[in-house]
Amino acid sequence: MAEVSEKQLSTTVNDVDHIDPSMEKSKVADVKVLIGDETFNSAMIKEPPKPFNLIAIQLYMISIIGFFCSTSNGFDSSMFGNLLAQPNFKAFFDVGNVGIGAGIVSSMTQIGGVAAIPLIGPAIDTFGRKTGMFIGASVIIIGVIIQGTVIHTGSVSQFMGGRFFMGMGVSLIASAGPCYVVEVSHPAYRGIVTGFYNVFWPVGALVASAACRGTVELTSNNSWLIPIWLQMMFPGLVWIATWFIPESPRWNYTNGHADRAKAFLTKYHGNGNPESEWVKLQMWEYEAHLELDGADKRWWDYRALFRNRASVYRLMSNCITSLFGQWAGNGVVSYFLSGVLTTAGITDKITQTNLFMAMNAVQCIVSFTGSCFVDKIGRRPLLIWVNVGCAICWVGVAAGAGVYFTDKSKIPSIENKAASAATVAMIYIFQAVYSFGWTPLQALYPVEVLSYEMRAKGMAFSNMFVTCGTLVNQFGFPVALEKIKWKTYLVFVFWCMIQAGIVYLVMPETKNRTLEELDDIFKSKNPVKASVTKKRLELDTNANVIGVEDIDGTPEVTRV
C-alpha cells in the first residue's frame, strides 16, 4: 500500500486528522480504480457538482465573455480568406489569392502578434485577467478603425498598419481569454468549458463568412469594407462586458485579496456554501501552490518559465501544442481556402464564398461535439488520433487535387468534376476531423499545462509559436501552392504523422485534476507515465480517501 499523501491528511480536504494503519482495512467501505488526483476524485464522490443550476448557468454566461475573445480571432481569420476571393478587394490592394502578395498582406496580423508578445505578461499579470481582455479588445477596435478608414486615403500602408494593430490586439485578447476561462471554471467542468472557448473561433468565422457572403455581390468597395467594420462587434462586446464580470479568483488570491477569491469560489463553485468540498479543496491548494510574491508580480521576470525541469516541460508542452495546431493544416485552409479551391477547379467567387460559409457551419457543430468529449476521451489520446485523422484526410485532398490537375494539364478544356468534388469533400472531412480534436484542445491544453505563476507569460510564448507557425504557413503555403500545386498537400500528410508520434512520446494527460494538482505530474520523473497511471482508492463510509495505491501496467485510456 502506498503512503497516504499530505493532501489526504489535510483537515481542509478530508476532515481526517490521523489514519491509523492498523485500522485502515476495517474502515474501507468502498474501492474505486480511477485516473487522476485522489483529492479531486474524492471531492467528485463526496459532492457531485450540479452542472445546470442557476449559479452554474450564471458562471457559464460569464465564461461566454471570455469565449468572445476567441470569436474575435476566428472572425479575422475567416474574413481575410473570404476577402481574398473578392475581386474588389484584390483590385484595390493589387493582390491575388495565392503567391507572395497574398502572404504579405495576410501576414501583417502575425507580425503585430509578435510585437505584442512582451506586453502580454504585464497586461494580464499586473492588471488582471479581465483587464487584459479589455486592453486587447481596445487595441483591436483601434486596428479596425485604421483599416476601415483606408477607403478615404487609398493608402495600402495604412491598411497594413491596421492589420498590425489587429495582430497586437488579437495576441493580447487570445492570451487573456483562455487564462480567464480556465481559472474561473469549476474544476469538474474545466475541460469542457475551456474546450468551448475555442469552439467560438468557428462561430466568429461563420459570422465573418456570412457577412462576406451577404456583400459578395456588391459592386463597390463596400463588399469588403462592411466585413472589416464588423470586426469590431465581438471585441466591442468584450470591451463593455469586462466592466461587469468578476476577476479570476487566482489573480485575486495572489494579489492580496484572498477574501474575494473565497467569495467567488463560495458563490460559483460551492453554490453559496463556504464549507463546500470544492471551496475547501481549492483554497487549500491556493495556499499550498500559489506564490504571493512570484514572478508574475514582476513584468520583466521570465525565470519562472525556466526555473526547473518541471517548468521547462510545462512550457514545452504548451508550445508544442500551439505550434502543431497550426501545422496540422487548418491555418492554410482558413487563410487560403480560395487558392485551395482554385487548385480544385472551383473559381466562381459566389461558389467559393458559399463553401466558406458552409465549412464554418460544419466547424461549429463538430467542434462543439468534440468539446463534450475532451474529458471522456482524454486530452492525450485525442491529440494523437486527431493528427492521424488529419494525415489521412490530406491523403484524400492530395489525391483528388492531383487527379484534377493532371487531367487539366493534359486537356485544358476538360474539367474533371468528380476529382474536383472529391477534393472539396476531403477538405470538409479534414475540417470536421480537425474541429473535433484540435479546435477544443488548442485553447484548453496550452493554458492548463502552465502553473499560475507561468500562465500569462507562458501564453505569450504560446502566441509566439502560433504566430511563427502561421507566418510559415502564410509565406510558404501560397508560394508552394503557386509553384508545386497539389503536391503541397503531401507535406501535411507526413508532418501530421510526425506530430502524432511526438505527442505520444512527450505529452501527458491532464484530465481529472485541478490546475494546482498538475504540479505532481510535471515534477515526476516520467510525466507521461505518471499522468496515465491508474490509482486504487479506498474510501470510508463518508467517502473520505483513506488509502491510495498506484496500479502499474494498466491500459492508458480509461473512462472514469
Side-chain angles (χ1 to χ4, degrees):
M1 178 68 66
E3 288 185 357
V4 180
S5 69
E6 180 182 349
K7 283 186 286 187
Q8 290 171 258
L9 300 178
S10 171
T11 57
T12 61
V13 179
N14 291 316
D15 299 324
V16 178
D17 293 326
H18 179 67
I19 298 177
D20 183 356
S22 64
M23 297 294 292
E24 185 176 329
K25 292 298 181 181
S26 62
K27 294 180 180 178
V28 175
D30 194 11
V31 174
K32 293 185 179 293
V33 176
L34 307 163
I35 288 179
D37 188 88
E38 55 269 21
T39 52
F40 175 92
N41 284 303
S42 175
M44 286 289 288
I45 295 168
K46 295 174 71 174
E47 190 178 321
K50 301 174 182 178
F52 299 113
N53 61 18
L54 290 178
I55 294 296
I57 293 173
Q58 185 178 348
L59 185 56
Y60 301 151
M61 297 303 294
I62 291 170
S63 297
I64 287 176
I65 305 305
F67 296 167
F68 286 159
C69 298
S70 181
T71 307
S72 304
N73 192 359
F75 189 106
D76 177 71
S77 297
S78 177
M79 180 204 71
F80 206 84
N82 277 275
L83 293 185
L84 287 175
Q86 294 204 9
N88 291 329
F89 177 82
K90 290 186 288 185
F92 189 89
F93 293 104
D94 192 25
V95 295
N97 59 5
V98 296
I100 192 66
I104 292 173
V105 173
S106 62
S107 65
M108 284 305 297
T109 305
Q110 278 60 53
I111 295 172
V114 172
I117 287 172
L119 307 176
I120 291 174
I124 301 174
D125 278 337
T126 304
F127 303 110
R129 287 12 182 173
K130 69 172 188 174
T131 305
M133 294 192 295
F134 176 84
I135 294 171
S138 300
V139 176
I140 290 176
I141 290 171
I142 292 171
V144 172
I145 293 172
I146 294 173
Q147 290 177 83
T149 54
V150 73
I151 193 66
H152 301 297
T153 64
S155 172
V156 176
S157 297
Q158 178 181 329
F159 185 79
M160 295 291 194
R163 298 293 297 165
F164 180 86
F165 275 95
M166 278 293 300
M168 291 186 69
V170 166
S171 189
L172 287 165
I173 205 170
S175 297
C179 286
Y180 181 80
V181 172
V182 79
E183 291 179 6
V184 302
S185 297
H186 193 292
Y189 310 123
R190 185 186 76 240
I192 295 176
V193 174
T194 311
F196 284 157
Y197 171 89
N198 224 35
V199 170
F200 274 65
W201 193 100
V203 170
L206 178 60
V207 175
S209 57
C212 290
R213 176 61 184 90
T215 61
V216 70
E217 297 184 62
L218 298 178
T219 57
S220 67
N221 285 319
N222 286 332
S223 63
W224 57 269
L225 278 172
I226 291 173
I228 282 178
W229 280 108
L230 283 175
Q231 288 178 108
M232 196 182 292
M233 178 170 59
F234 291 106
L237 292 172
V238 173
W239 195 92
I240 295 170
T242 48
W243 292 92
F244 305 102
I245 59 177
E247 183 53 87
S248 157
R250 288 171 174 83
W251 188 87
N252 274 329
Y253 184 89
T254 60
N255 284 272
H257 303 297
D259 54 335
R260 297 180 190 175
K262 186 172 183 179
F264 178 96
L265 296 176
T266 299
K267 179 178 180 179
Y268 293 108
H269 294 183
N271 289 302
N273 176 18
E275 297 302 313
S276 163
E277 293 295 320
W278 295 106
V279 175
K280 292 189 291 182
L281 169 62
Q282 290 179 91
M283 286 303 297
W284 186 91
E285 290 183 334
Y286 288 4
E287 294 170 10
H289 295 279
L290 301 186
E291 296 188 33
L292 301 183
D293 189 32
D296 56 293
K297 307 300 183 299
R298 299 178 291 277
W299 64 267
W300 48 266
D301 192 351
Y302 282 75
R303 288 176 295 178
L305 302 181
F306 310 100
R307 178 173 295 153
N308 50 41
R309 178 182 175 275
S311 297
V312 173
Y313 204 108
R314 283 177 180 269
L315 185 62
M316 178 192 69
S317 300
N318 168 285
C319 294
I320 286 177
T321 308
S322 302
L323 182 65
F324 283 5
Q326 300 304 308
W327 283 357
N330 181 64
V332 298
V333 172
S334 297
Y335 271 88
F336 299 109
L337 181 58
S338 176
V340 172
L341 293 176
T342 298
T343 65
I346 299 173
T347 57
D348 179 68
K349 66 176 183 179
I350 294 178
T351 302
Q352 287 194 358
T353 307
N354 288 339
L355 289 172
F356 270 119
M357 190 164 60
M359 182 175 293
N360 293 144
V362 170
Q363 284 181 289
C364 289
I365 296 170
V366 178
S367 59
F368 180 88
T369 305
S371 295
C372 296
F373 285 88
V374 293
D375 281 335
K376 293 182 180 180
I377 298 176
R379 282 62 149 169
R380 175 178 158 81
L382 196 54
L383 279 172
I384 294 170
W385 288 108
V386 71
N387 279 291
V388 173
C390 287
I392 295 171
C393 291
W394 280 118
V395 171
V397 174
V403 170
Y404 175 86
F405 182 80
T406 301
D407 290 350
K408 186 76 172 176
S409 62
K410 292 178 180 178
I411 309 176
S413 61
I414 294 180
E415 299 281 345
N416 189 329
K417 293 183 178 180
S420 177
T423 302
V424 174
M426 289 309 304
I427 291 172
Y428 270 74
I429 295 172
F430 165 81
Q431 284 286 39
V433 172
Y434 184 98
S435 298
F436 186 87
W438 266 118
T439 297
L441 290 176
Q442 267 187 301
L444 169 61
Y445 196 83
V447 72
E448 71 176 357
V449 297
L450 299 172
S451 66
Y452 176 84
E453 189 181 11
M454 299 173 64
R455 193 160 293 133
K457 295 184 177 76
M459 288 305 293
F461 273 74
S462 173
N463 271 276
M464 180 177 71
F465 273 75
V466 168
T467 301
C468 290
T470 306
L471 280 172
V472 171
N473 287 339
Q474 291 182 343
F475 278 111
F477 183 76
V479 176
L481 203 58
E482 184 179 41
K483 300 296 184 184
I484 62 174
K485 302 295 188 293
W486 63 272
K487 297 182 182 70
T488 306
Y489 308 134
L490 295 176
V491 175
F492 293 108
V493 175
F494 298 108
W495 181 248
C496 285
M497 291 305 298
I498 292 173
Q499 289 190 170
I502 294 173
V503 170
Y504 177 81
L505 292 173
V506 303
M507 307 295 269
E509 180 58 71
T510 58
K511 73 172 186 176
N512 290 353
R513 293 172 176 87
T514 67
L515 293 173
E516 285 68 39
E517 288 166 352
L518 290 172
D519 282 2
D520 296 334
I521 295 299
F522 287 101
K523 288 178 180 178
S524 64
K525 184 177 180 180
N526 186 337
V528 171
K529 182 178 179 181
S531 70
V532 299
T533 298
K534 286 183 177 180
K535 293 184 177 181
R536 182 175 181 270
L537 272 59
E538 295 180 346
L539 311 174
D540 65 12
T541 54
N542 295 319
N544 294 311
V545 178
I546 59 174
V548 182
E549 181 181 8
D550 288 347
I551 303 176
D552 295 324
T554 55
E556 178 173 320
V557 180
T558 303
R559 291 186 173 86
V560 175

